[in-house]
Amino acid sequence: MHAAYIFLLLLVVTHGIQATLYTVTNTARWLFQEYNQVDRKLVQNVSLFVDPEDKGVVAYTTKLTHEIHVSASYISNYSGDVRKEITGVLYHEMTHVRQWHGSHGEAPTRLTEGIADYVRLKANLGSGYWVKAGEGDIWDEGYDVTAWFLDYCDGLRNGFVAE
Ligand SMILES: *[C@@H]1O[C@H](CO)[C@@H](O)[C@H](O)[C@H]1NC(C)=O
Ligand SMILES: *[C@@H]1O[C@H](CO)[C@@H](O)[C@H](O)[C@H]1NC(C)=O
């Protein structure tokens, strides 16, 4: 059996994939202070796929159908705490599920990617590959760099990122 499937099986057995996604969703809700029903995005169905063929990305999420795809070769080839890494990846992708992208998808991608990594950061699930706080060239570089910038801003004013 492929190592990726063994890993996924372990994750489901020890943690439960629904439990993982449920925890992630609540973290994101809490972070974004989604108390207002009007602002809440209606998401009824999230599906998780492990893609056997390598598409050159770690993971991605489809905007309309909310399918999270994770690369099997990324899971297989990851050396280190693979469970922490993939849980972090799921935090990132579940944030995209919860996130608004603008009515025509016009929300700036580097910012939405930064917010997804910010949720991951606040869950203490940052990747070993990430830059350190303060590194990077510009605030909206995306991903980890932008996540650290947002964390800095939220430290200056609590609730900044939620707003
Ligand atoms: C949920 O999403 C999956 C994948 O897009 C789809 O195959 C399935 O039919 C959906 N289920 C419901 C109840 O909408
Ligand atoms: C590891 O990654 C390489 C390059 O992306 C890929 O060719 C290989 O199939 C991967 N290994 C496994 C076990 O998936």
Side-chain angles (χ1 to χ4, degrees):
M1 204 193 284
H2 204 279
Y5 295 105
I6 294 173
F7 166 78
L8 198 67
L9 211 60
L10 275 177
L11 189 74
V12 171
V13 167
T14 58
H15 207 49
I17 203 66
Q18 272 177 329
T20 307
L21 297 184
Y22 182 80
T23 313
V24 174
T25 298
N26 282 325
T27 307
R29 266 196 195 145
W30 169 74
L31 274 171
F32 295 120
Q33 301 169 8
E34 275 191 331
Y35 305 126
N36 185 345
Q37 290 285 349
V38 176
D39 294 338
R40 190 173 294 176
K41 190 167 154 187
L42 185 65
V43 177
Q44 289 182 316
N45 182 16
V46 180
S47 314
L48 181 64
F49 298 83
V50 177
D51 292 342
E53 78 275 32
D54 201 340
K55 297 199 175 96
V57 291
V58 173
Y60 66 92
T61 299
T62 59
K63 278 184 183 151
L64 295 177
T65 50
H66 304 132
E67 296 178 4
I68 297 176
H69 291 255
V70 184
S71 151
S73 68
Y74 184 72
I75 298 173
S76 309
N77 282 343
Y78 191 82
S79 58
D81 189 342
V82 69
R83 178 170 162 164
K84 183 182 176 207
E85 173 66 16
I86 297 305
T87 307
V89 167
L90 291 178
Y91 267 71
H92 178 106
E93 298 305 328
M94 270 305 281
T95 306
H96 287 324
V97 169
R98 305 284 323 155
Q99 220 167 23
W100 293 104
H101 296 277
S103 45
H104 305 288
E106 70 273 31
T109 305
R110 287 182 303 234
L111 181 58
T112 53
E113 293 296 351
I115 291 171
D117 266 359
Y118 173 77
V119 172
R120 201 178 155 173
L121 175 70
K122 298 314 272 184
N124 274 321
L125 291 167
S127 175
Y129 295 134
W130 281 11
V131 300
K132 306 241 175 333
E135 286 181 358
D137 294 324
I138 191 163
W139 74 272
D140 70 341
E141 218 171 299
Y143 298 97
D144 47 345
V145 174
T146 301
W148 283 119
F149 173 77
L150 293 171
D151 190 45
Y152 167 77
C153 294
D154 213 77
L156 294 180
R157 204 181 74 211
N158 193 27
F160 177 91
V161 181
E163 253 177 68

